[in-house]
Structure formats: structure tokens, C-alpha cells
Short mmCIF file of all heavy atoms in Angstrom, two decimals:
data_model
loop_
_atom_site.label_atom_id
_atom_site.label_comp_id
_atom_site.label_asym_id
_atom_site.label_seq_id
_atom_site.Cartn_x
_atom_site.Cartn_y
_atom_site.Cartn_z
N VAL D 1 23.83 36.53 61.16
CA VAL D 1 22.70 37.19 61.76
C VAL D 1 21.91 38.08 60.71
O VAL D 1 20.74 38.26 60.90
CB VAL D 1 23.18 38.12 62.92
CG1 VAL D 1 22.12 39.01 63.46
CG2 VAL D 1 23.76 37.18 64.02
N ASN D 2 22.57 38.46 59.64
CA ASN D 2 21.94 39.28 58.64
C ASN D 2 20.85 38.51 57.87
O ASN D 2 20.03 39.14 57.16
CB ASN D 2 22.95 39.84 57.63
CG ASN D 2 23.80 40.94 58.26
OD1 ASN D 2 24.98 40.69 58.67
ND2 ASN D 2 23.31 42.14 58.42
N TYR D 3 20.85 37.18 57.97
CA TYR D 3 19.79 36.41 57.32
C TYR D 3 18.53 36.51 58.11
O TYR D 3 17.41 36.01 57.63
CB TYR D 3 20.25 34.94 57.12
CG TYR D 3 21.14 34.75 56.00
CD1 TYR D 3 22.54 34.71 56.14
CD2 TYR D 3 20.67 34.70 54.66
CE1 TYR D 3 23.36 34.56 55.04
CE2 TYR D 3 21.47 34.46 53.58
CZ TYR D 3 22.85 34.44 53.76
OH TYR D 3 23.69 34.27 52.73
N LEU D 4 18.47 37.07 59.30
CA LEU D 4 17.26 37.25 60.10
C LEU D 4 16.73 38.64 59.62
O LEU D 4 17.33 39.63 59.82
CB LEU D 4 17.61 37.27 61.61
CG LEU D 4 18.28 36.03 62.10
CD1 LEU D 4 18.66 36.18 63.52
CD2 LEU D 4 17.38 34.78 61.89
N LEU D 5 15.52 38.55 59.01
CA LEU D 5 14.98 39.72 58.29
C LEU D 5 14.05 40.61 59.05
O LEU D 5 13.70 41.76 58.58
CB LEU D 5 14.37 39.29 56.99
CG LEU D 5 15.19 38.46 56.05
CD1 LEU D 5 14.39 38.02 54.81
CD2 LEU D 5 16.48 39.14 55.66
N GLU D 6 13.53 40.14 60.17
CA GLU D 6 12.63 40.96 61.00
C GLU D 6 13.17 41.19 62.34
O GLU D 6 13.99 40.37 62.88
CB GLU D 6 11.27 40.29 61.07
CG GLU D 6 10.65 39.94 59.81
CD GLU D 6 10.15 41.21 59.01
OE1 GLU D 6 10.01 42.22 59.66
OE2 GLU D 6 9.97 41.11 57.83
N ASP D 7 12.84 42.30 62.94
CA ASP D 7 13.26 42.61 64.35
C ASP D 7 12.98 41.43 65.21
O ASP D 7 13.91 41.03 66.04
CB ASP D 7 12.57 43.84 64.88
CG ASP D 7 12.94 45.16 64.20
OD1 ASP D 7 13.81 45.10 63.21
OD2 ASP D 7 12.51 46.23 64.62
N GLU D 8 11.84 40.95 65.22
CA GLU D 8 11.39 39.83 66.12
C GLU D 8 12.22 38.56 65.87
O GLU D 8 12.44 37.79 66.81
CB GLU D 8 9.92 39.51 65.96
CG GLU D 8 9.37 38.53 67.04
CD GLU D 8 9.75 38.99 68.42
OE1 GLU D 8 9.56 40.23 68.76
OE2 GLU D 8 10.04 38.08 69.29
N ASP D 9 12.69 38.35 64.62
CA ASP D 9 13.53 37.21 64.30
C ASP D 9 14.84 37.31 65.11
O ASP D 9 15.34 36.28 65.65
CB ASP D 9 13.86 37.11 62.84
CG ASP D 9 12.66 36.64 62.01
OD1 ASP D 9 11.71 35.99 62.57
OD2 ASP D 9 12.54 37.03 60.82
N VAL D 10 15.45 38.49 65.01
CA VAL D 10 16.72 38.72 65.74
C VAL D 10 16.55 38.62 67.27
O VAL D 10 17.28 37.93 67.93
CB VAL D 10 17.34 40.13 65.44
CG1 VAL D 10 18.68 40.26 66.04
CG2 VAL D 10 17.46 40.33 63.90
N ILE D 11 15.47 39.23 67.76
CA ILE D 11 15.22 39.10 69.17
C ILE D 11 14.98 37.65 69.60
O ILE D 11 15.50 37.24 70.64
CB ILE D 11 13.99 40.04 69.54
CG1 ILE D 11 14.33 41.48 69.36
CG2 ILE D 11 13.61 39.83 71.03
CD1 ILE D 11 13.22 42.43 69.46
N GLN D 12 14.25 36.95 68.85
CA GLN D 12 13.97 35.55 69.16
C GLN D 12 15.23 34.72 69.21
O GLN D 12 15.50 33.91 70.06
CB GLN D 12 12.97 34.93 68.21
CG GLN D 12 12.64 33.47 68.47
CD GLN D 12 12.05 33.15 69.74
OE1 GLN D 12 11.45 34.02 70.37
NE2 GLN D 12 12.26 31.93 70.28
N CYS D 13 16.12 34.95 68.15
CA CYS D 13 17.42 34.27 68.18
C CYS D 13 18.18 34.58 69.33
O CYS D 13 18.77 33.71 70.11
CB CYS D 13 18.18 34.65 66.96
SG CYS D 13 19.84 34.10 66.81
N PHE D 14 18.26 35.88 69.80
CA PHE D 14 19.04 36.31 70.91
C PHE D 14 18.45 35.76 72.24
O PHE D 14 19.15 35.49 73.17
CB PHE D 14 19.15 37.83 70.93
CG PHE D 14 20.00 38.50 69.87
CD1 PHE D 14 20.62 37.67 69.01
CD2 PHE D 14 20.15 39.85 69.86
CE1 PHE D 14 21.47 38.27 68.00
CE2 PHE D 14 21.01 40.42 68.89
CZ PHE D 14 21.67 39.70 67.91
N ARG D 15 17.13 35.65 72.28
CA ARG D 15 16.46 35.13 73.49
C ARG D 15 16.89 33.56 73.65
O ARG D 15 17.13 33.20 74.79
CB ARG D 15 15.04 35.20 73.31
CG ARG D 15 14.35 36.58 73.67
CD ARG D 15 12.89 36.60 73.40
NE ARG D 15 12.35 37.90 73.74
CZ ARG D 15 11.27 38.43 73.28
NH1 ARG D 15 10.54 37.70 72.38
NH2 ARG D 15 10.76 39.58 73.60
N GLN D 16 16.96 32.95 72.53
CA GLN D 16 17.38 31.45 72.64
C GLN D 16 18.85 31.40 73.10
O GLN D 16 19.25 30.52 73.82
CB GLN D 16 17.19 30.76 71.30
CG GLN D 16 15.68 30.65 70.84
CD GLN D 16 14.92 29.90 71.91
OE1 GLN D 16 14.11 30.51 72.61
NE2 GLN D 16 15.17 28.62 72.01
N VAL D 17 19.66 32.28 72.49
CA VAL D 17 21.03 32.34 72.89
C VAL D 17 21.18 32.63 74.41
O VAL D 17 21.87 31.93 75.17
CB VAL D 17 21.79 33.42 72.13
CG1 VAL D 17 23.18 33.78 72.77
CG2 VAL D 17 22.04 33.05 70.71
N ASN D 18 20.36 33.55 74.88
CA ASN D 18 20.38 33.92 76.28
C ASN D 18 19.96 32.78 77.17
O ASN D 18 20.48 32.46 78.29
CB ASN D 18 19.49 35.12 76.56
CG ASN D 18 19.63 35.70 77.94
OD1 ASN D 18 20.74 35.78 78.46
ND2 ASN D 18 18.55 36.11 78.54
N MET D 19 18.91 32.04 76.70
CA MET D 19 18.36 30.87 77.41
C MET D 19 19.48 29.81 77.64
O MET D 19 19.49 29.23 78.77
CB MET D 19 17.18 30.28 76.68
CG MET D 19 16.51 29.09 77.39
SD MET D 19 15.19 28.33 76.39
CE MET D 19 14.06 29.74 76.22
N PHE D 20 20.21 29.55 76.68
CA PHE D 20 21.22 28.40 76.74
C PHE D 20 22.64 28.85 77.15
O PHE D 20 23.48 27.98 77.24
CB PHE D 20 21.21 27.69 75.43
CG PHE D 20 19.93 26.86 75.23
CD1 PHE D 20 18.95 27.30 74.39
CD2 PHE D 20 19.77 25.68 75.89
CE1 PHE D 20 17.78 26.54 74.19
CE2 PHE D 20 18.64 24.90 75.79
CZ PHE D 20 17.66 25.35 74.88
N LEU D 21 22.83 30.16 77.37
CA LEU D 21 24.10 30.53 77.83
C LEU D 21 24.30 30.15 79.33
O LEU D 21 23.40 30.34 80.13
CB LEU D 21 24.35 32.04 77.69
CG LEU D 21 24.84 32.53 76.32
CD1 LEU D 21 24.87 34.06 76.29
CD2 LEU D 21 26.20 31.95 75.95
N PHE D 22 25.47 29.66 79.64
CA PHE D 22 25.88 29.43 81.06
C PHE D 22 25.85 30.76 81.75
O PHE D 22 26.03 31.80 81.17
CB PHE D 22 27.31 28.85 81.04
CG PHE D 22 27.72 28.29 82.42
CD1 PHE D 22 27.54 27.03 82.73
CD2 PHE D 22 28.48 29.16 83.33
CE1 PHE D 22 27.97 26.48 83.94
CE2 PHE D 22 28.89 28.62 84.51
CZ PHE D 22 28.61 27.25 84.81
N PRO D 23 25.59 30.86 83.06
CA PRO D 23 25.56 32.14 83.75
C PRO D 23 26.87 32.97 83.51
O PRO D 23 27.96 32.42 83.60
CB PRO D 23 25.53 31.70 85.29
CG PRO D 23 24.75 30.39 85.23
CD PRO D 23 25.19 29.68 84.02
N ARG D 24 26.67 34.17 83.05
CA ARG D 24 27.69 35.06 82.62
C ARG D 24 28.40 34.62 81.39
O ARG D 24 29.53 35.13 81.06
CB ARG D 24 28.75 35.31 83.81
CG ARG D 24 28.17 35.75 85.02
CD ARG D 24 27.40 37.05 84.99
NE ARG D 24 28.29 38.19 84.93
CZ ARG D 24 27.94 39.44 84.69
NH1 ARG D 24 26.67 39.73 84.46
NH2 ARG D 24 28.84 40.49 84.70
N GLY D 25 27.74 33.68 80.61
CA GLY D 25 28.37 33.20 79.42
C GLY D 25 28.39 34.30 78.35
O GLY D 25 27.70 35.37 78.36
N LEU D 26 29.25 34.11 77.39
CA LEU D 26 29.61 35.14 76.39
C LEU D 26 28.93 34.90 75.01
O LEU D 26 28.85 33.71 74.56
CB LEU D 26 31.12 35.14 76.21
CG LEU D 26 31.73 36.28 75.32
CD1 LEU D 26 31.47 37.64 75.99
CD2 LEU D 26 33.24 36.04 75.22
N PHE D 27 28.44 35.96 74.44
CA PHE D 27 27.89 35.94 73.10
C PHE D 27 28.60 36.84 72.21
O PHE D 27 28.63 38.03 72.49
CB PHE D 27 26.40 36.25 73.08
CG PHE D 27 25.60 36.26 71.82
CD1 PHE D 27 25.96 35.27 70.86
CD2 PHE D 27 24.69 37.17 71.50
CE1 PHE D 27 25.31 35.26 69.62
CE2 PHE D 27 24.03 37.21 70.25
CZ PHE D 27 24.31 36.21 69.33
N LEU D 28 29.22 36.31 71.14
CA LEU D 28 29.95 37.10 70.19
C LEU D 28 29.33 36.97 68.75
O LEU D 28 29.09 35.89 68.38
CB LEU D 28 31.48 36.64 70.13
CG LEU D 28 32.14 36.60 71.48
CD1 LEU D 28 33.51 35.83 71.27
CD2 LEU D 28 32.41 38.05 72.03
N PHE D 29 29.15 38.09 68.07
CA PHE D 29 28.66 38.03 66.77
C PHE D 29 29.04 39.17 65.91
O PHE D 29 29.42 40.23 66.48
CB PHE D 29 27.10 37.84 66.76
CG PHE D 29 26.35 39.10 67.27
CD1 PHE D 29 25.81 40.00 66.36
CD2 PHE D 29 26.20 39.31 68.65
CE1 PHE D 29 25.16 41.14 66.82
CE2 PHE D 29 25.48 40.47 69.07
CZ PHE D 29 24.95 41.36 68.17
#
């Protein structure tokens, strides 16, 4: 995750994670 250099890069990555997580799915990082 540290290779994402801008706030919006991190948020965009997390949005994609959220989009593809199963309901109540887990995100660990």
C-alpha cells in the first residue's frame, strides 16, 4: 500500500477493494 503515493490513490484502491468484497468480507493490510 505504501507504493500508492497520493491520498486519492489509496482511496481509489480501497474503493475497488470494497466494491469486490463479499458482503461483510474482510480487508487486511
